[in-house]
Amino acid sequence: MSQRAKGKRVCKEETSDTHSHGVRGYGRNSGDLDHEIAQLTKLRSEPNEHLRKATVGGLKMPVSTLRMLAARESNYSGRGRFSLSDSCHVLSRCLPIYGPQKVDKMQSRAYVSQFSVDGSLFVAGYQGSHIRIYNVDKGWKVQKDILAKSLRWTITDTSLSPDQRYLVYSSMSPLVHIVNIESAATESLANVTEIHDGLDFSCGNNDDNGNISIFSVKFSTDGRELVAASGDGAIYVYDLAANKVGLQIPAHEVDVNTVCFADESGHVIYSGSDDNLCKVWDRRCLSTTGQAAGVLTGHLEGITFIDSRGDGRYLISNGKDQSTKLWDIRKMTSNSPAFHRRRDFDWDYRWTDYPEEDRNLKHPHDQSVATYKGHSVLYTLIRCYFSPAYSTGQKYIYTGSGDCVVYIYDLVSGNQVARLEHHNEPVRDCSWHPFYPLMVTSSWDGVIAKWEFPGDRKEKSLSRPRRRSRRTMFY
């Protein structure tokens, strides 16, 4: 890691000289962009127009934090305070790239990272049955240490309820377990010290149980439902009040690796599968059509993760073709255009690097808005996200990587603005605090590490351990 990344105070502009990778659909100069999402991002993360036009001594002020503060004190905005976009502009320049500091170290692979909605709690799920909930506001003290029940291979996903009272966790099994995390006991041993209720996603069909492996599970915004992605090609919506599966959608012909709600309404669901497709499902018309509302085509390999921007319109996906793609669902089609790529050999992302001859291939019917490359989607279902709306205006996307690094890209320009290097095994998941310039990364080396923008504080960096072999890796 460079000296700059070990402790000097560096803002986003100072990391913009990092090697950038081409972004399909966007030019390198953001001034050339006219796509709607570029304008929306600009509105959410750039200073107030009055501040940008403010002058001192007849000279136009550059957009810097110091000048913005001076303009605010002079009330050039006419509001006497920063707008939300002003705040985003300041905060988004302070990327969480310093450290790291070790939060925890376990003897098994870390698969899941997740901040609660208010950022007060952090959840980490490990392959060795442990799920730990850390109280961020109390010095990252372990508030709950959960030993998972009926684990098959690993914890594949966790989700906190919106009221932060319950946690669900999934495995490669049709049972998703739910735990009350408000109880007084720190140790939560399944059905010994506490009850871990099992939510059965098999719909009572025992013949299919062997194919139902839950890879992704999410609470709805109102906390009444769970949506899950399964290895049997289906999406399941579980009604918690009725304690049963309320909806089963035969969504894909192969594994559904990822699923999420498009927005707070819960009507629209996004799914991503090993069939290389992202699909959009509108529950309001499923009963009459039984079909997806639309299909998004562009990835050349399977989808490992999807994250919604939360506006019911835009989403990003990580693909095993070593790219992240940005989508606008208004570009979706009713079905996927026929495209058959011939390969003389079987390639499995869990074992070998992506074939060199395929790296520059493009899908002839690519409907994505933009493509981001540079990270590695290998060995496991690597996750990607939009940066927080409150602090960055969702100006960035960030992703774990099979090469043990976390990558941060500028959403609009596609420039790689930061690389977080510490881990010596793949980083499957990472989570940006909803309000502060703080990120936590979880890796197969068992380390949970936090990265910050500490200002003038000097943080003690962790030494980077020697890289080990990664040849025995699965989901």
Side-chain angles (χ1 to χ4, degrees):
M1 191 181 301
S2 67
Q3 286 298 111
R4 174 183 299 171
K6 285 185 178 179
K8 290 185 178 180
R9 183 169 182 168
V10 184
C11 284
K12 175 255 173 184
E13 287 83 359
E14 296 175 49
T15 64
S16 62
D17 60 347
T18 306
H19 179 64
S20 63
H21 296 265
V23 178
R24 190 204 63 76
Y26 280 167
R28 294 291 180 85
N29 186 344
S30 60
D32 297 334
L33 304 182
D34 58 3
H35 192 274
E36 181 186 55
I37 195 170
Q39 300 304 319
L40 291 173
T41 304
K42 180 178 178 181
L43 288 173
R44 295 179 67 173
S45 62
E46 288 207 351
N48 181 281
E49 185 69 22
H50 294 292
L51 289 176
R52 281 183 290 174
K53 291 181 177 180
T55 61
V56 173
L59 299 175
K60 189 173 182 179
M61 296 173 60
V63 182
S64 68
T65 303
L66 181 62
R67 293 298 177 88
M68 285 179 67
L69 289 169
R72 185 187 68 177
E73 295 304 310
S74 302
N75 198 23
Y76 277 97
S77 68
R79 304 174 68 181
R81 58 182 175 84
F82 279 162
S83 66
L84 182 58
S85 62
D86 295 332
S87 300
C88 284
H89 178 73
V90 174
L91 288 171
S92 67
R93 298 167 67 190
C94 302
L95 297 176
I97 60 175
Y98 297 89
Q101 287 183 298
K102 184 171 69 176
V103 173
D104 207 346
K105 172 71 168 71
M106 298 286 282
Q107 297 304 310
S108 65
R109 296 166 176 167
Y111 268 69
V112 178
S113 295
Q114 179 189 18
F115 275 109
S116 61
V117 174
D118 65 0
S120 64
L121 300 177
F122 179 80
V123 179
Y126 301 86
Q127 186 177 17
S129 300
H130 277 278
I131 303 169
R132 287 187 168 177
I133 301 177
Y134 305 87
N135 192 313
V136 178
D137 297 336
K138 294 183 178 179
W140 294 84
K141 178 182 177 182
V142 176
Q143 178 169 307
K144 203 78 173 174
D145 191 357
I146 299 168
L147 188 61
K149 179 186 178 184
S150 304
L151 188 70
R152 290 188 184 175
W153 180 247
T154 185
I155 301 293
T156 55
D157 204 2
T158 64
S159 184
L160 276 170
S161 63
D163 60 8
Q164 298 177 194
R165 295 179 59 195
Y166 297 96
L167 176 95
V168 293
Y169 61 87
S170 62
S171 179
M172 298 180 74
S173 150
L175 291 179
V176 170
H177 290 90
I178 186 167
V179 188
N180 183 346
I181 65 170
E182 283 193 323
S183 62
T186 299
E187 300 292 330
S188 180
L189 179 58
N191 294 355
V192 175
T193 61
E194 291 186 326
I195 299 298
H196 293 199
D197 288 325
L199 311 178
D200 190 356
F201 280 73
S202 67
C203 298
N205 187 348
N206 295 326
D207 293 337
D208 291 337
N209 282 2
N211 295 323
I212 299 180
S213 299
I214 304 298
F215 293 116
S216 176
V217 62
K218 298 287 183 293
F219 269 101
S220 60
T221 305
D222 60 13
R224 297 178 180 177
E225 294 179 318
L226 296 171
V227 63
S230 170
D232 66 351
I235 298 170
Y236 294 90
V237 179
Y238 197 95
D239 185 327
L240 289 168
N243 196 28
K244 66 178 182 179
V245 172
L247 178 64
Q248 178 185 4
I249 306 171
H252 300 263
E253 295 183 359
V254 290
D255 292 358
V256 185
N257 295 323
T258 177
V259 67
C260 66
F261 290 105
D263 54 25
E264 294 185 353
S265 72
H267 296 311
V268 178
I269 297 171
Y270 301 144
S271 65
S273 167
D274 276 338
D275 62 10
N276 311 347
L277 302 175
C278 297
K279 291 187 177 182
V280 182
W281 305 88
D282 191 333
R283 299 167 63 186
R284 293 166 294 189
C285 56
L286 267 176
S287 59
T288 55
T289 66
Q291 302 295 317
V295 180
L296 295 165
T297 305
H299 278 295
L300 293 167
E301 306 287 350
I303 314 300
T304 65
F305 196 74
I306 283 176
D307 186 42
S308 173
R309 194 167 180 260
D311 55 9
R313 183 172 296 171
Y314 293 101
L315 64 146
I316 56 173
S317 61
N318 250 357
K320 297 174 187 177
D321 56 6
Q322 312 305 296
S323 70
T324 299
K325 286 185 176 289
L326 172 68
W327 308 90
D328 181 344
I329 68 170
R330 292 171 297 180
K331 294 179 178 291
M332 65 187 180
T333 54
S334 58
N335 51 52
S336 58
F339 172 62
H340 301 286
R341 178 162 58 105
R342 293 182 179 178
R343 182 180 276 158
D344 296 331
F345 57 92
D346 291 331
W347 174 74
D348 191 325
Y349 85 117
R350 295 173 296 176
W351 307 107
T352 57
D353 289 337
Y354 195 59
E356 195 63 37
E357 60 268 27
D358 290 354
R359 289 187 179 275
N360 295 320
L361 290 179
K362 294 183 179 179
H363 198 294
H365 308 292
D366 192 353
Q367 298 165 312
S368 64
V369 174
T371 301
Y372 309 82
K373 291 188 175 182
H375 59 292
S376 168
V377 186
L378 294 171
Y379 311 118
T380 183
L381 301 177
I382 302 289
R383 298 182 167 192
C384 60
Y385 302 92
F386 289 96
S387 63
Y390 178 85
S391 59
T392 71
Q394 296 179 305
K395 184 176 182 178
Y396 307 110
I397 62 173
Y398 62 104
T399 176
S401 181
D403 64 2
C404 318
V405 178
V406 173
Y407 290 77
I408 304 177
Y409 300 102
D410 185 285
L411 175 72
V412 174
S413 71
N415 290 337
Q416 184 191 114
V417 298
R419 288 165 49 99
L420 310 187
E421 299 184 52
H422 166 67
H423 297 285
N424 72 329
E425 294 285 356
V427 179
R428 185 179 189 268
D429 206 356
C430 42
S431 187
W432 196 317
H433 193 282
F435 305 115
Y436 305 134
L438 168 66
M439 186 183 292
V440 178
T441 57
S442 59
S443 167
W444 275 12
D445 59 15
V447 173
I448 303 295
K450 64 175 180 176
W451 307 73
E452 301 180 80
F453 187 84
D456 293 326
R457 291 188 293 118
K458 293 184 179 181
E459 301 289 351
K460 182 179 179 181
S461 296
L462 295 173
S463 60
R464 182 180 172 88
R466 187 173 62 183
R467 185 169 298 181
R468 300 193 302 270
S469 170
R470 303 192 300 270
R471 294 303 175 191
T472 56
M473 301 177 181
F474 296 89
Y475 292 105

